Amino acid sequence: MRRSAVLGSAGTLIAGTLMATALAAPASAQSRHDSDDEARGAAVAAARAAKAGIDWQDCPADWGFDKPIQCGWVTVPVDYAKPNGKQIKLAVDRARSTGTPQERQGSLVYNPGGPGASGMRFPRRVTTKAALWVNTAKAYDFVGFDPRGVGHSAPISCVDPTEFVKGPKADPVPDSEADKLAQRKLAAEYAKGCAEKSGDMLPYMTTRNTARDLDVIRAALGDKKLNYIGVSYGTYLGAVYGTLYPDHVRRMIVDSVVNPSKKEIWYGANLNQDIAFEGRLKDWMTWVAQHDDAYHLGKTLAEVQQQWTTLRAAAKKAPLGGKVGPAELIGFFQNAPYYDSMWVPVAEAWSAYAAGDPQPLIDSAAADLTDTAGNASAENGNAVYTAVECADSPWPTSWKKWDRDNSRLHEQYPFMTWANAWMNLPCATWAAPHQRATDVKTGKGLPPVLIVQSERDAATPYAGAVELHQRFKGSRLITEKDAGSHGVTNLVNACINPRVETYLLTGKVDSADVTCEPHATPKP
């Protein structure tokens, strides 16, 4: 779950057979979780998609995907209870399998998370010959898509993109009740903007609807069953899909798992993030201290933490370059607890600042107002993030509860707590309905699901993987111990990579859960 506001050939021959089977794919589990109208509507939409298929063409030039990647559209209803009502088109793309017709096993569909992130870059793992995926690419067409509301798929918006990214924003940590009131007003205005600009879509921006969309995409691809990789929020999408359509799943990998408990979706999940981010931030700062010869930011964790406190205070007093205040610093520095690949870049920019050159830090943390496309994408991603989380489940409407919970957490976990609270506060005044969270559980026909999780993940804490493991009977959990990078399956780890590949190619999992040593620690 990306916090952007404070701020990845032989199918034609057999398509007819698979398409016919897709029409008859069972939907027995749906009625337990959907209304009858939605269950029927989803079946109608999938049948239509199976019949229509996808008209694959060269991708539009401005999408940035060169041949041999192909692009197309899948049509879905906005409201599955009204399958003949308003329709939208979802953008999809693919890189065809590189193996023989005998090696091909269908399509592998990917969602990188968010909610609000595009999966359209996934086929590039084939065209760039990404080493970890070469063998899997022989068996599968790699398929990406923009979920509803995202990118090219009927995108939603809440505010002007330039205003959304422009800084410096107010310090997320309030100094007074007046500061809190100002942030509450901003959150309410944001919610109002979403209703004004995208109100027609907001009631239908749910994970359940995106899971239904995913099943329509499966049918349009001509696959009787879904092969799927979901990372971050994509794990919750996979969990909901597996609950609604257990007998439509062939292979499913969920990597860095959102806690699917109804108690945690989504208010509790965000509070849990605040705790986990503090822990992972300390992991990174400890590493920075261990490499003081490279970064000169302190030889102990306490010294590095003091450097952060000093930097934050300086940016609050006088925003760096007139653009970077505490909010922008958090937006940049949070990359380090998210991804090990960002440990070095963030440390280098910080080190340069401490040595008297603030420009690398300003360039990294400040918004680029000339990046029209990038800013529009950031605003769209945040709009979808907010819309889905607000729509998926009830949220507290009492400011006293928000204030009490976040004030308490901030005392021990100050790095992300208030920034996270303000990002999610629009849900307290959301104009569209809040649905009940899905009761994620095993249904008849669900095959073994492979769960991959690092122990110290900040964005999706480890308890979420354990919870889903308990709910999906027969699943297997691979734990990367003493590690915390968000998104594990695309990192080099000799214990994890072969198991992921074996599962995708054969469906086989270990006889018991597995604990793996961590991947290599970054070097300065």
Side-chain angles (χ1 to χ4, degrees), residues 41-101:
V44 166
R48 284 176 182 160
K51 186 175 181 180
I54 299 172
D55 180 18
W56 294 109
Q57 303 284 343
D58 292 342
C59 298
D62 61 349
W63 288 18
F65 303 113
D66 297 331
K67 296 179 184 180
I69 294 175
Q70 299 172 303
C71 291
W73 301 95
V74 175
T75 301
V76 298
V78 172
D79 180 359
Y80 277 93
K82 299 176 181 176
N84 298 317
K86 183 179 179 182
Q87 309 286 308
I88 56 174
K89 290 185 176 182
L90 306 180
V92 295
D93 67 343
R94 73 171 179 184
R96 301 181 98 176
S97 59
T98 60
T100 65

Side-chain angles (χ1 to χ4, degrees), residues 159-391:
V159 296
D160 175 79
T162 302
E163 290 301 313
F164 175 73
V165 302
K166 191 166 64 177
K169 293 180 170 29
D171 186 346
V173 177
D175 291 324
S176 64
E177 290 302 313
D179 287 349
K180 292 178 182 178
L181 183 59
Q183 293 280 11
R184 291 171 62 190
K185 287 180 177 178
L186 287 174
E189 288 170 5
Y190 184 84
K192 184 180 178 183
C194 295
E196 290 173 348
K197 293 174 73 71
S198 304
D200 289 349
M201 283 288 290
L202 296 187
Y204 310 105
M205 290 294 299
T206 64
T207 300
R208 280 200 290 271
N209 275 338
T210 304
R212 295 171 189 130
D213 294 343
L214 186 55
D215 198 58
V216 176
I217 291 171
R218 170 202 60 78
L221 290 166
D223 288 350
K224 180 179 178 182
K225 295 196 175 187
L226 177 72
N227 305 293
Y228 176 78
I229 299 178
V231 183
S232 192
Y233 165 77
T235 66
Y236 186 59
L237 175 59
V240 171
Y241 183 91
T243 299
L244 296 182
Y245 302 100
D247 44 5
H248 293 197
V249 178
R250 180 174 180 269
R251 310 265 161 83
M252 179 179 286
I253 294 177
V254 287
D255 171 0
S256 306
V257 181
V258 169
N259 192 322
S261 167
K262 292 172 71 173
K263 295 187 300 182
E264 304 297 340
I265 300 295
W266 284 102
Y267 182 74
N270 282 284
L271 296 178
N272 292 335
Q273 278 188 330
D274 302 335
I275 299 170
F277 262 102
E278 200 74 29
R280 192 59 180 162
L281 180 74
K282 290 178 180 177
D283 291 347
W284 170 64
M285 288 184 170
T286 298
W287 174 87
V288 170
Q290 291 168 350
H291 295 286
D292 184 59
D293 56 336
Y295 301 119
H296 311 294
L297 291 166
K299 294 182 179 180
T300 66
L301 171 61
E303 289 176 355
V304 176
Q305 286 177 311
Q306 183 56 51
Q307 285 274 17
W308 164 250
T309 301
T310 301
L311 170 63
R312 201 186 186 292
K316 180 171 178 132
K317 183 177 181 181
L320 313 182
K323 302 175 182 178
V324 176
E328 289 72 32
L329 286 178
I330 294 169
F332 175 54
F333 273 71
Q334 70 179 354
N335 284 297
Y338 252 110
Y339 308 113
D340 289 9
S341 61
M342 291 300 296
W343 280 18
V344 170
V346 179
E348 286 180 344
W350 189 11
S351 177
Y353 170 86
D357 180 9
Q359 203 58 46
L361 186 53
I362 294 169
D363 291 344
S364 299
D368 178 2
L369 299 184
T370 67
D371 183 10
T372 304
N375 295 336
S377 178
E379 190 278 325
N380 168 242
N382 195 76
V384 175
Y385 166 87
T386 309
V388 172
E389 294 211 358
C390 294

Side-chain angles (χ1 to χ4, degrees), residues 394-463:
W395 284 76
T397 56
S398 162
W399 167 245
K400 287 184 179 179
K401 178 170 178 57
W402 287 79
D403 193 18
R404 181 177 64 249
D405 290 346
N406 287 281
S407 295
R408 175 180 53 83
L409 274 181
H410 174 77
E411 290 179 7
Q412 292 187 63
Y413 313 103
F415 176 63
M416 281 288 293
T417 296
W418 278 114
N420 209 2
W422 305 130
M423 181 174 178
N424 291 287
L425 190 59
C427 293
T429 57
W430 200 242
H434 301 284
Q435 305 295 325
R436 58 182 176 80
T438 301
D439 184 16
V440 169
K441 57 186 172 184
T442 309
K444 184 178 179 181
L446 184 72
V449 171
L450 188 63
I451 302 170
V452 188
Q453 178 79 31
S454 62
E455 264 188 333
R456 296 184 63 75
D457 190 320
T460 53
Y462 185 75

